[in-house]
Amino acid sequence: MDRSRLQDLLARETAEAVRRCPRSKDAYGRADHLFGRVPMTWMNKTAGSFPRYLAAARGARVTDIDGQEYIDFCLGDTGAMTGHSPAAVADAVQHRFTDLGGATAMLPTEDAEWVGAELTRRFGLARWSFSLTATDANRWAIRLARAVTGRPKILFNSYSYHGSVDESLIVVGPDGRGEARPGNVGAPCDVTLTSRVAEFNDLEQLERELAHGDVAAVLMEPALTNIGIVLPEPGYLEGVRELTRRHGTLLINDETHTFSAGPGGCTAAWGLDPDLLTIGKAIGGGIPAGAYGLSAELADRLLGRTDLDLIDMGGVGGTLAGNALSVAAMRATLEHVLTDDAFAHMSKLSERFEAGVRAGIDAHGLPWTVSRLGARTEYRFASPAPRTGTESAAAADAVLEDFLHLYLANRGILLTPFHNMALMCPDTTEQDVDTHTEHFAAALDELVS
Ligand code: PMP
């Protein structure tokens, strides 16, 4: 690839974004009271010199304050996998907050048992507790795993992401040993005191690490989704389950993103049997919500421990977690929006998206690959597809990614800023996918013809 041509194209698209979005650029320039000029510093991770500002969003469409409309394949990096403001969730939230009243009263609602039962039906775990984010679901699952096993460490896959969880900020270093994730601002202690790490798809490394006997839990995604999509090789997940059992280590599946695989995530789709499961983002249909599930046996063991403070200030829970509004949103999402039929539709569209991207890659003979996990598709600048997080991290190309994101955004298509990821929602159409395919092919024509 001709890098100077790529730079020229990126400069052209950066200028085009300024031309198309003057109000967003101006709003960003005026945001002197925000840390990094944005409500959350990661919002600066956007192609171009400023973020586009949200005006409105419905279903698979977003409109910015300059009046530009986008087909949204970002979908809040999964938080809006339901589509934006689905009617059933909007009604449930309105009913709870306005008609009945009471978003947060420190009292349970009957919706919570309905949601727990539905999560059991989908994912298999027998007991559930709620949070407002996937990060907190992971934090609390980690604490319970440590409490019940009496072991200090948690094992992660290199270049996985599970939210801003201190323990997870570990990668496999060049010498094959665990070291702090570059640039992290986590806890001020050596991460190897709290954590171990193994490459995804590497059972030998996992076994070596578990053999130390100090790992309370493996916390993993069944497929990595935060460093491209890295799919498990045949036998890998079975191997993880067998090794964790053999070494007395609990297995926690984080299904926050892999929920895209189907109504019960990868856990149901692939017949997995974790001890705990965490999830967030999409299950609230856009309203903050998260959950963790435990096996009945584990729940009983924990509740039988009179020495653990699971009720007051002992380290699990949050005042707003499981609040009536959040739980009502989860119920509406699971009952009416992310149904079996919706997943079938989303998965079919995602196949079409994948085929479109593959056709573009093949037509230009590029050494790239595209991977899919149900409703979620992502391409990577490497071929064959990376097998581990570290391999996938090495395939990143920030300039190329910026060009593609900006080229598409300037033509009315949003991808997820941290990835080349595209997600389908129940409102996405074949025409939306084909529009992407056309523009993606045109972008590659400009890059490599
Ligand atoms: N788990 C996974 C797999 C994630 O991808 C993320 C966020 N991208 C999280 C947890 C954390 O989610 P949140 O930021 O909503 O807490």
Side-chain angles (χ1 to χ4, degrees):
M1 184 169 298
D2 178 345
R3 300 299 292 193
S4 71
R5 178 179 195 162
L6 173 60
Q7 289 290 0
D8 289 349
L9 286 169
L10 178 58
R12 184 191 78 191
E13 294 301 324
T14 304
E16 176 63 10
V18 172
R19 198 188 65 73
R20 290 171 69 91
C21 302
R23 289 187 61 186
S24 284
K25 181 170 185 293
D26 186 49
Y28 185 64
R30 283 187 282 106
D32 290 333
H33 297 88
L34 300 177
F35 178 45
R37 301 199 163 276
V38 279
M40 189 65 238
T41 48
W42 55 253
M43 288 185 188
N44 278 320
K45 173 91 180 164
T46 179
S49 50
F50 59 91
R52 287 159 213 241
Y53 276 54
L54 173 70
R58 180 84 53 198
R61 289 287 183 285
V62 161
T63 309
D64 70 17
I65 61 171
D66 287 283
Q68 311 280 346
E69 191 180 272
Y70 303 88
I71 302 168
D72 188 9
F73 291 111
C74 165
L75 294 171
D77 192 14
T78 312
M81 188 167 75
T82 51
H84 295 283
S85 299
V89 178
D91 289 349
V93 165
Q94 164 92 4
H95 183 60
R96 178 72 259 176
F97 196 81
T98 309
D99 302 342
L100 298 175
T104 180
M106 290 189 111
L107 297 173
T109 53
E110 290 177 298
D111 282 342
E113 170 60 17
W114 189 97
V115 173
E118 176 63 8
L119 291 172
T120 297
R121 187 186 74 78
R122 290 180 181 229
F123 294 100
L125 287 296
R127 306 277 186 269
W128 292 86
S129 192
F130 300 113
S131 62
L132 293 182
T133 64
T135 300
D136 271 347
N138 282 329
R139 278 202 189 106
W140 301 337
I142 285 172
R143 288 179 179 182
L144 295 175
R146 282 182 169 140
V148 81
T149 60
R151 295 179 176 185
K153 296 192 183 180
I154 308 296
L155 186 141
F156 296 88
N157 291 130
S158 197
Y159 287 97
S160 61
Y161 184 71
H162 298 280
S164 53
V165 173
D166 287 335
E167 289 87 345
S168 67
L169 300 171
I170 186 167
V171 295
V172 175
D175 62 358
R177 306 227 300 234
E179 63 179 38
R181 190 170 180 132
N184 88 75
V185 292
C189 73
D190 180 351
V191 73
T192 61
L193 290 174
T194 62
S195 312
R196 291 190 176 277
V197 63
E199 293 289 1
F200 194 78
N201 279 325
D202 188 338
L203 289 172
E204 274 176 32
Q205 196 172 23
L206 177 65
E207 176 151 36
R208 271 201 309 278
E209 294 298 317
L210 293 184
H212 292 276
D214 56 3
V215 178
V218 170
L219 171 46
M220 66 183 291
E221 294 187 282
L224 296 181
T225 66
N226 283 293
I227 190 80
I229 295 173
V230 181
L231 294 169
E233 293 179 337
Y236 171 63
L237 295 175
E238 292 84 344
V240 170
R241 185 62 279 198
E242 197 275 311
L243 285 174
T244 46
R245 285 217 170 97
R246 194 186 325 150
H247 290 278
T249 296
L250 297 171
L251 176 61
I252 309 173
N253 277 0
D254 181 344
E255 290 270 19
T256 301
H257 278 182
T258 51
F259 191 19
S260 66
C266 290
T267 297
W270 299 340
L272 308 178
D273 185 21
D275 303 293
L276 294 108
L277 186 147
T278 57
I279 188 163
K281 298 198 189 187
I283 57 165
I287 297 293
Y292 61 91
L294 320 82
S295 66
E297 185 262 342
L298 196 55
D300 290 346
R301 265 165 71 197
L302 279 158
L303 293 174
R305 287 273 301 273
T306 49
D307 59 320
L308 301 178
D309 176 6
L310 302 179
I311 287 185
D312 201 353
M313 300 186 201
V316 283
T319 316
L320 299 186
N323 75 68
L325 189 71
S326 170
V327 171
M330 280 190 272
R331 176 170 183 164
T333 299
L334 296 171
E335 193 169 5
H336 301 297
V337 187
L338 291 180
T339 57
D340 292 6
D341 287 350
F343 273 103
H345 166 76
M346 288 149 65
S347 192
K348 215 163 132 240
L349 286 182
S350 192
E351 259 174 52
R352 190 180 183 95
F353 190 99
E354 180 189 29
V357 169
R358 184 165 289 132
I361 292 172
D362 290 350
H364 294 87
L366 289 165
W368 301 358
T369 42
V370 56
S371 303
R372 189 172 71 85
L373 186 66
R376 171 184 217 92
T377 310
E378 181 149 1
Y379 49 94
R380 210 72 197 143
F381 309 125
S383 182
R387 292 180 53 251
T388 67
T390 301
E391 276 178 30
S392 199
D397 184 331
V399 180
L400 183 51
E401 215 167 277
D402 276 1
F403 163 68
L404 288 164
H405 279 250
L406 212 45
Y407 183 96
L408 292 169
N410 287 338
R411 287 152 187 83
I413 292 172
L414 293 181
L415 299 182
T416 308
F418 295 86
H419 314 253
N420 303 310
M421 192 278 280
L423 191 62
M424 309 298 136
C425 74
D427 305 287
T428 313
T429 65
E430 284 190 354
Q431 184 54 56
D432 293 342
V433 170
D434 295 347
T435 301
H436 171 270
T437 301
E438 278 164 38
H439 288 308
F440 180 69
L444 297 190
D445 281 343
E446 293 220 44
L447 261 179
V448 267
S449 58

